[in-house]
Amino acid sequence: MRHEMLCQPASTAVQFKLDQGESLTCEVGAMIAMSSGLSVQTTSKSRGGGGGIVKGLKRMFSGESFFLNHFTAEAPEQTLLIGPTMLGDCVHHAMRGGTVIVQGSSWLASSPDIDIDTSWQGFTSAFFSGESMFWVKCSGQGDLFLSSYGAIHCIEIDGTYTIDTGHIVAFEDTLKFNIGKASRSLIGSFLGGEGLVCKFQGQGKLYYQSHTPPALGALLGPKLKPK
Amino acid sequence: MNQHNQSFSGGVFHPSIPGGRAGAEITINRGEIIAYTQCDGQPVFSIPINQCQLDLGGASGRMLFCRTPDGQLTIFSEDKHFAQALDLHSGGLLGNQINTLKRAVRSESKKLGFWILASSLACALILFIGYFAMLWAAKATIASLPISIDEKIGKLALDSMDVGKRLDSAHPASKLVQSIVDKLQPHAAIPNMKFKVIVVEDPQVNAFALPGGQIVVFTGLIREATSAEQIAGVLAHEMSHATLRHGLQSVSQSLGIVAAIQLFVGDIGGLVALGAQIAQQSILTSYSRTSETEADLEGARMLHAAKIDPQAMAEFFGLLKEKEGDIPDAIAWISTHPQHSTRIENIKNHQKSFPATQYEPLDLNLKEAQEAL
């Protein structure tokens, strides 16, 4: 399976070339276009039978869909084009064992060998980070595709790193994050417009996005006419 | 279990690995932590236990990292038995480091426990305050409602009730009771409330008030009373239930606060019917203990104002006490009516706060009424 990022960075779509027998698991509704030799299977299970209804329900809690779409090439040289819901970039992360924790709705697609589960991030993280209480946990070996709202950036953290709440796309499970104040005083943090921030600690990759959907909503919402 | 063959799933950080990180199976053997990676070429990495530096972290906070002193190579695992196995194989070399980490975990979980406890206490406090604030709001709402609602509920409740055989209003017993009510009426807390008495043939020593001022008196009560003042005491108590609007308060508590607010906002029709039903079932049989005490004290005030000795009310409770005996303390505590002895005490204490007055005996013939029954 080969992939190519098209129209980067504002309206990125990922184009896959699949050989006969190869397959890809995608978020429901991610498909933009595909060639005729691909079969689509929609289930709540991972390919190969893992998971099921419970995992599907757990996925829903994390902001993903109950169902997954599995695309399988039944003829050689098939093309599949997928893209995220919001305007923004996509990124490829090669997994060599281990786990990546993805913010709900940022998971776009992954190889069938990658297990997609949900992990609980706790109340405090959810209340203060502006993220969901449940996150998507991807583990195994293979390719993982993430989407963002706005541009996506990757940083290799070794030590500590601070990121504003709501900007997290994904991070490796070797990283730990705490919610903290942006500046030393709480009042200063809020006056500075930063409020609370996520402080990462450890070693690993962190993906973050340049924009956050709630910020757009907060800007547009008051200007919309009531129905 | 053979400890030497124990393996843990985890991973490795090393600059030679593409992307810097790979998943690995970890074993501990001959003083070394060995990681077998699954990436291309399947390289194997190892750290001698005596050079290993431990650290805790990861998304879960329970991932154990083993680093070489130069920080180039890191082997990590989230397996909860990993630390145990390290401790076992290190021959005490890592004991200090592991203990320090264990203490850190413990203090963190203690901190978490504290926050969980503190937030649950805060939630409980908010609920507690909220409950009483709502009760208060319901009371305030009821005070602002017109008396006509009480009257409607009371009338509906009485109409749908089978109280028993009613005595004619010309009956000497009915006349006696009505004349006491007429004497007390000018001193009621709500001046324009119309009180109407119904005497019902029933051996029970009881009387009850309906919202809006209708009072039902059982003939048993008239028979047992030794003076007209005692009947006046009971009537003052029941009239107080009506003027203090305890009926509506019970309705609002039974219907819930939402209904009280709904009453305030509007949509009264349906609630009146529902209120009447609840009134029948619960209010009349048992007001809350607070309401009973309130009615006792308000009744005593009315009696005093009407120049009837409030002592008569206490006397009547004494009579009941003699007849029924006091309820054992433990049960009384949970039952809705306060202990007779407590009630007598309360009335006596309350009476002390009144200015001294010359009480006048009621000019009524109780004997005649009793004989007519």
Side-chain angles (χ1 to χ4, degrees):
Chain A
M1 185 175 69
R2 285 157 293 143
H3 71 269
E4 193 187 345
M5 301 283 180
L6 306 176
C7 314
Q8 269 185 306
S11 19
T12 310
V14 192
Q15 183 178 261
F16 293 93
K17 293 270 187 231
L18 296 160
D19 274 333
Q20 191 161 8
E22 281 185 331
S23 56
L24 182 76
T25 305
C26 295
E27 183 186 23
V28 169
M31 195 271 288
I32 300 169
M34 65 181 197
S35 47
S36 53
L38 280 166
S39 78
V40 190
Q41 193 194 357
T42 305
T43 67
S44 66
K45 293 178 177 173
S46 319
R47 207 170 152 75
I53 292 171
V54 177
K55 266 198 180 170
L57 289 173
K58 277 168 80 186
R59 257 200 311 278
M60 282 173 78
F61 273 115
S62 64
E64 284 291 340
S65 302
F66 178 73
F67 291 108
L68 299 170
N69 278 345
H70 305 287
F71 292 87
T72 308
E74 289 177 337
E77 279 299 301
Q78 293 301 309
T79 314
L80 170 66
L81 205 66
I82 62 166
T85 323
M86 303 282 280
L87 276 180
D89 207 354
C90 296
V91 77
H92 168 245
H93 176 82
M95 292 189 68
R96 296 181 181 82
T99 302
V100 174
I101 295 161
V102 183
Q103 180 246 113
S105 79
S106 274
W107 175 78
L108 183 65
S110 57
S111 343
D113 303 332
I114 290 179
D115 183 50
I116 302 150
D117 200 358
T118 305
S119 95
W120 163 258
Q121 286 299 303
F123 282 115
T124 37
S125 310
F127 277 135
F128 300 115
S129 68
E131 310 280 1
S132 158
M133 239 179 287
F134 294 91
W135 296 58
V136 181
K137 208 166 114 184
C138 303
S139 39
Q141 289 198 58
D143 299 305
L144 175 66
F145 294 88
L146 305 170
S147 68
S148 66
Y149 176 52
I152 196 162
H153 265 276
C154 176
I155 174 121
E156 286 275 358
I157 299 177
D158 192 2
T160 55
Y161 201 75
T162 301
I163 190 170
D164 197 7
T165 50
H167 286 269
I168 306 167
V169 171
F171 58 94
E172 286 184 315
D173 68 336
T174 46
L175 287 170
K176 179 185 184 178
F177 88 83
N178 287 314
I179 307 294
K181 304 175 296 245
S183 64
R184 201 163 286 175
S185 83
L186 190 64
I187 296 166
S189 298
F190 280 96
L191 290 178
E194 298 303 340
L196 296 168
V197 293
C198 302
K199 290 182 174 172
F200 279 89
Q201 196 183 9
Q203 191 175 0
K205 274 197 177 97
L206 164 70
Y207 291 95
Y208 58 96
Q209 56 195 5
S210 58
H211 295 69
T212 64
L216 176 72
L219 204 69
L220 282 184
K223 294 191 170 68
L224 296 175
K225 276 186 192 161
K227 263 188 188 173
Chain B
M1 187 170 42
N2 187 350
Q3 295 286 346
H4 291 276
N5 289 338
Q6 212 173 355
S7 87
F8 312 95
S9 70
V12 181
F13 283 115
H14 195 264
S16 72
I17 302 169
R21 173 192 170 160
E25 283 297 312
I26 301 158
T27 60
I28 304 165
N29 201 0
R30 294 182 188 170
E32 283 196 322
I33 305 163
I34 308 161
Y36 301 91
T37 61
Q38 296 133 19
C39 58
D40 300 335
Q42 305 197 321
V44 176
F45 297 90
S46 68
I47 304 173
I49 284 183
N50 58 9
Q51 287 178 22
C52 170
Q53 285 174 356
L54 296 179
D55 195 10
L56 263 182
S60 63
R62 299 286 161 100
M63 196 179 265
L64 192 61
F65 294 86
C66 311
R67 290 200 176 87
T68 51
D70 61 1
Q72 285 280 306
L73 173 65
T74 307
I75 297 174
F76 58 88
S77 172
E78 215 166 0
D79 197 311
K80 52 187 173 200
H81 301 297
F82 185 49
Q84 221 178 334
L86 266 180
D87 197 12
L88 202 76
H89 286 274
S90 70
L93 272 175
L94 294 177
N96 276 344
Q97 288 196 55
I98 288 172
N99 283 338
T100 313
L101 294 177
K102 270 186 189 163
R103 267 200 299 277
V105 169
R106 248 180 256 138
S107 94
E108 199 153 301
S109 52
K110 252 188 211 162
K111 230 188 253 172
L112 187 71
F114 168 78
W115 279 110
I116 289 171
L117 188 74
S119 45
S120 13
L121 279 178
C123 283
L125 193 70
I126 289 166
L127 281 176
F128 187 74
I129 293 171
Y131 174 73
F132 283 103
M134 280 196 182
L135 279 190
W136 176 83
K139 225 172 182 172
T141 309
I142 285 161
S144 71
L145 290 172
I147 296 293
S148 60
I149 291 177
D150 297 53
E151 285 168 2
K152 272 185 203 161
I153 290 178
K155 194 175 175 305
L156 260 173
L158 190 66
D159 286 351
S160 56
M161 243 167 145
D162 184 21
V163 280
K165 197 185 161 219
R166 300 179 187 195
L167 287 192
D168 192 72
S169 58
H171 192 280
S174 302
K175 273 187 178 163
L176 173 102
V177 176
Q178 189 62 52
S179 58
I180 297 171
V181 170
D182 291 344
K183 195 168 163 50
L184 288 170
Q185 205 262 335
H187 309 288
I190 300 175
N192 56 356
M193 192 176 261
K194 292 175 218 103
F195 293 98
K196 193 170 174 282
V197 184
I198 299 154
V199 182
V200 171
E201 232 171 277
D202 195 306
Q204 285 181 64
V205 184
N206 202 358
F208 60 82
L210 284 157
Q214 307 215 55
I215 295 162
V216 178
V217 181
F218 293 135
T219 50
L221 184 127
I222 301 169
R223 273 205 194 94
E224 288 298 324
T226 55
S227 72
E229 281 80 2
Q230 288 178 359
I231 298 175
V234 175
L235 287 170
H237 171 93
E238 295 305 333
M239 285 165 84
S240 302
H241 274 313
T243 56
L244 296 171
R245 307 180 83 177
H246 287 154
L248 237 60
Q249 273 175 32
S250 301
V251 172
S252 79
Q253 274 162 29
S254 308
L255 286 180
I257 306 304
V258 179
I261 293 159
Q262 218 178 344
L263 271 174
F264 188 60
V265 177
D267 186 26
I268 289 161
L271 282 172
V272 170
L274 196 55
Q277 199 187 343
I278 292 173
Q280 238 174 292
Q281 287 166 358
S282 62
I283 307 164
L284 310 174
T285 48
S286 62
Y287 286 112
S288 73
R289 280 164 70 96
T290 336
S291 300
E292 290 298 337
T293 310
E294 265 177 31
D296 281 351
L297 301 185
E298 168 65 9
R301 186 200 63 79
M302 278 170 72
L303 289 168
H304 176 84
K307 297 201 167 152
I308 301 168
D309 191 353
Q311 206 51 50
M313 195 199 270
E315 245 175 58
F316 190 75
F317 291 137
L319 206 76
L320 285 179
K321 187 180 166 185
E322 233 171 71
K323 220 174 137 55
E324 298 174 3
D326 238 334
I327 316 160
D329 281 330
I331 304 172
W333 195 80
I334 45 169
S335 88
T336 55
H337 268 70
Q339 289 271 42
H340 294 317
S341 49
T342 321
R343 298 178 81 171
I344 296 167
E345 195 84 358
N346 282 345
I347 294 163
K348 280 183 180 164
N349 284 337
H350 193 57
Q351 206 183 343
K352 282 180 197 154
S353 66
F354 299 143
T357 311
Q358 191 62 48
Y359 295 120
E360 294 163 7
L362 284 170
D363 182 24
L364 293 166
N365 196 341
L366 177 66
K367 252 220 159 90
E368 185 202 358
Q370 282 173 333
E371 275 163 8
L373 288 174

